[in-house]
């Protein structure tokens, strides 16, 4: 398993370009199953999770052509199987989202249950209830969800019990080919959902209201091909901005979109960063200062994203003052806390492990660390960048799932970081 070796103590300084959003691109690859013609997705990040999704499409018999610039062309009408197996689905929960598009287009789909994951149990009850509201027959059999419908799905009025990103995307995709109108209430509003809807509309869907709590989908009989460019990855972009703030440095992330990161930028300003936004992207300058601690609560968009909680926790760990960080999205997303504490941080978990009380310390010290979730792992890299000495971050295949060329990008910013390959 590869590791990252980080020699800490350098202030990050430089410019880089944000990659395309993983959490948009993954869903667009599944959405292509709705079309009768080839769909081309561009600005796709070169990541392990994308490769897994391509493998899943391949396992269905779907032809996928990838060029050297990561433009991905999907020929869904070459599909030969409607079963997505456990071996692939268990490695990435987003793969479960092939179910709705296959069901809507071909009337049948058999997809393995995704199961739990490191950050919590993550059920799919809302996905299934939404599909059932559209008339899908759903049966569970030996760990697989068997979904079917005679003819087309039927438009319906459905309200999610709570905000779910995947649930909103899944039911929205299925409803595009349903007969009549679907109204979805209490929808999640993340920018990736808007991006997905723009892609679906380019394929001939009729979706409105996306980005608000109520999405209206007028079903169409068929969908055609399109070319769609994925938005910039707001979580990746903000990870580099937070890393710059933590090290007292200056970083410009080109293509990062201010409107997708408002709450995060406000928090970074509260921490003492100077933020400048122009046509090219977002620049953060800490001017060598130690950050001030910032308290926050994670919640669905537009609030502070759970996917940046671990990274900002590291910033808080070396900040001036005390912060409270509350996680409300996932049950078990504080794994990084124990590892950062091993590097000398002073973080206490309370409230049944949903609240972290962070007492800023003057410095962190290098240690061998590892985490079993993507964002927790990258937070340890940030900890390594600011720590005294050489930190080794183990199990970085998690980082490779979501951060394109992570060590190259940090190196562009002046970090001393290298990958240790192991067999
Ligand atoms: N939930 C249910 N039932 C459902 C669906 C969700 O109980 O049917 C629960 C989940 O267990 C969780 C909460 O609702 O506690 C929110 O889950 P949501 O469905 O919103 O998350 P997701 O679609 O599984 C996506 C991202 C995550 C990101 C979350 C929240 C993708 C591929 N994943 O997950 O990204 O943290 O939304 O914003 O889009 C990451 O990129 O590192 C990552 C984990």
């Amino acid at each position: 398993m590869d590791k990252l070796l980080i020699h800490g103590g350098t202030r990050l300084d430089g410019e880089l370009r944000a990659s395309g959003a993983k959490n948009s691109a993954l869903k667009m690859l599944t959405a292509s199953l709705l079309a009768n013609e080839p769909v081309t997705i561009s600005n796709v990040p070169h990541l392990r999770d994308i490769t897994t999704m391509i493998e899943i499409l391949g396992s269905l018999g779907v032809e996928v052509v990838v060029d050297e610039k990561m433009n991905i062309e999907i020929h869904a009408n070459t599909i030969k199987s409607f079963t997505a197996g456990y071996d692939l689905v268990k490695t990435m929960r987003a793969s479960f989202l092939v179910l709705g598009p296959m069901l809507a287009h071909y009337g049948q789909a058999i997809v393995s249950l995704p199961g739990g994951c490191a950050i919590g149990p993550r059920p799919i009850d809302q996905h299934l209830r939404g599909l059932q509201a559209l008339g899908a027959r759903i049966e569970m059999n030996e760990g697989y969800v068997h979904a079917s419908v005679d003819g087309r799905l039927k438009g319906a009025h459905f309200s999610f019990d709570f905000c779910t990103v995947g649930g909103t995307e899944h039911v929205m995709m299925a409803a595009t080919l349903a007969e009549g109108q679907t109204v979805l209430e209490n929808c999640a509003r993340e920018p990736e959902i808007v991006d997905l809807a723009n892609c679906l509309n380019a394929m001939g869907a009729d979706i409105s209201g996306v980005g608000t709590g109520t999405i209206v989908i007028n079903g169409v009989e068929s969908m055609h091909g399109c070319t769609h460019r994925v938005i910039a990855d707001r979580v990746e972009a903000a990870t580099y901005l937070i890393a710059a703030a933590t090290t007292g440095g200056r970083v410009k992330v080109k293509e990062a979109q201010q409107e997708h990161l408002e709450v995060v930028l406000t928090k970074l300003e509260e921490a003492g960063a100077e933020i400048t936004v122009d046509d090219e992207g977002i620049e953060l300058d800490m001017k060598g200062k130690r950050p001030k601690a910032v308290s926050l609560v994670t919640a669905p968009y537009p609030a502070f994203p759970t996917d940046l909680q671990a990274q900002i926790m590291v910033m808080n760990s070396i900040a001036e003052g005390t912060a409270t960080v509350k996680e409300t999205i996932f049950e078990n997303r504080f794994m990084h806390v124990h590892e950062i504490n091993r590097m000398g941080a002073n973080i206490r978990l309370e409230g049944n492990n949903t609240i972290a009380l962070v007492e800023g310390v003057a410095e962190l010290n290098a240690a061998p660390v590892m985490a079993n979730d993507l964002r927790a792992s990258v937070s340890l890299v940030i900890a390594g960048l600011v720590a005294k000495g050489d930190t080794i971050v183990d199990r970085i295949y998690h980082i490779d799932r979501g951060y394109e060329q992570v060590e190259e990008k940090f190196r562009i910013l002046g970090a001393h970081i290298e990958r240790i390959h192991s067999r």
Side-chain angles (χ1 to χ4, degrees):
M1 265 183 272
D2 289 2
K3 301 178 171 85
L4 286 175
L5 169 64
I6 304 142
H7 181 70
T10 313
R11 259 183 207 157
L12 296 186
D13 189 357
E15 295 186 0
L16 53 85
R17 189 187 79 85
S19 297
K22 161 180 88 83
N23 290 347
S24 279
L26 285 172
K27 319 304 168 52
M28 287 168 196
L29 294 176
T30 70
S32 67
L33 292 168
L34 292 160
N36 288 328
E37 293 169 352
V39 168
T40 303
I41 312 294
S42 66
N43 198 31
V44 178
H46 193 189
L47 297 171
R48 177 73 56 82
D49 275 6
I50 298 291
T51 313
T52 304
M53 189 61 89
I54 292 173
E55 274 177 49
I56 288 171
L57 293 174
S59 77
L60 303 173
V62 170
E63 261 177 42
V64 181
V65 183
V66 185
D67 75 11
E68 70 290 351
K69 288 190 171 155
M70 285 301 282
N71 296 310
I72 303 188
E73 195 179 293
I74 309 111
H75 296 250
N77 57 1
T78 58
I79 195 164
K80 290 176 194 70
S81 155
F82 302 104
T83 303
Y86 175 68
D87 284 346
L88 286 167
V89 178
K90 73 169 184 211
T91 62
M92 185 183 66
R93 289 179 51 82
S95 43
F96 185 68
L97 273 71
V98 296
L99 184 127
M102 274 199 287
L103 171 70
H105 194 169
Y106 300 102
Q108 53 178 316
I110 304 175
V111 180
S112 169
L113 279 164
C117 72
I119 56 180
R122 295 175 86 180
I124 38 124
D125 55 305
Q126 299 297 308
H127 301 227
L128 299 183
R129 283 194 45 229
L131 295 174
Q132 278 170 324
L134 299 177
R137 270 191 308 275
I138 304 276
E139 282 164 27
M140 305 289 182
N141 201 344
E142 297 182 347
Y144 279 75
V145 178
H146 293 243
S148 59
V149 62
D150 298 325
R152 289 168 69 187
L153 292 169
K154 301 265 178 314
H157 207 115
F158 178 76
S159 182
F160 292 98
D161 292 338
F162 46 84
C163 274
T164 151
V165 174
T168 301
E169 293 167 331
H170 205 169
V171 184
M172 175 175 81
M173 287 194 281
T176 56
L177 285 179
E179 219 176 301
Q181 189 179 71
T182 298
V183 179
L184 301 178
E185 309 256 28
N186 201 18
C187 295
R189 295 182 272 165
E190 271 66 5
E192 294 76 19
I193 304 175
V194 178
D195 198 21
L196 173 63
N198 289 340
C199 176
L200 290 165
N201 282 342
M203 289 160 63
D206 179 356
I207 304 172
S208 57
V210 75
T212 74
T214 304
I215 299 179
V216 178
I217 305 129
N218 292 311
V220 294
E221 268 179 39
S222 65
M223 282 161 76
H224 49 73
C226 78
T227 299
H228 181 86
R229 183 180 159 83
V230 176
I231 56 168
D233 194 314
R234 67 192 162 105
V235 177
E236 190 214 24
T239 298
Y240 289 105
L241 296 176
I242 294 171
T246 308
T247 62
R250 182 201 71 92
V251 164
K252 179 162 189 176
V253 185
K254 292 185 175 167
E255 293 192 28
Q257 300 283 307
Q258 177 194 24
E259 66 268 29
H260 297 162
L261 284 168
E262 279 183 5
V263 172
V264 178
L265 297 179
T266 304
K267 285 288 161 196
L268 288 169
E269 276 176 338
E270 226 181 275
E274 267 180 33
I275 308 273
T276 316
V277 179
D278 63 20
D279 291 349
E280 277 188 334
I282 303 175
E283 178 172 318
L284 177 146
D285 196 345
M286 207 62 191
K287 305 223 153 134
K289 285 178 299 189
R290 179 181 179 194
K292 293 192 202 71
V294 289
S295 293
L296 57 101
V297 179
T298 67
Y301 188 84
F304 195 92
T306 174
D307 289 345
L308 291 169
Q309 176 259 107
Q311 299 88 317
I312 207 145
M313 181 91 79
V314 172
M315 187 196 82
N316 276 329
S317 75
I318 52 93
E320 207 181 305
T322 306
T324 307
V325 175
K326 187 166 187 213
E327 170 63 50
T328 72
I329 305 290
F330 292 112
E331 290 170 28
N332 187 26
R333 215 174 194 187
F334 277 145
M335 305 169 271
H336 43 286
V337 164
H338 308 293
E339 298 297 291
I340 310 166
N341 278 345
R342 289 181 52 240
M343 297 175 75
N346 182 2
I347 309 172
R348 216 170 60 242
L349 292 182
E350 291 193 346
N352 208 10
N353 287 354
T354 56
I355 299 174
L357 295 177
V358 193
E359 185 100 37
V361 295
E363 61 181 25
L364 297 181
N365 292 301
V369 285
M370 66 178 182
N372 43 6
D373 147 49
L374 163 60
R375 311 298 171 187
S377 304
V378 85
S379 78
L380 297 177
V381 172
I382 300 175
L385 289 172
V386 81
K388 241 170 130 176
D390 291 341
T391 296
I392 292 182
V393 182
D394 204 346
R395 296 205 184 162
I396 57 155
Y397 56 85
H398 291 293
I399 300 184
D400 294 332
R401 290 185 59 175
Y403 287 89
E404 194 173 42
Q405 299 186 302
V406 68
E407 68 269 33
E408 285 86 348
K409 285 194 173 182
F410 273 120
R411 244 186 263 135
I412 290 173
L413 304 178
H416 297 285
I417 177 167
E418 67 183 273
R419 184 176 289 250
I420 308 170
H421 294 281
S422 48
R423 277 171 294 144

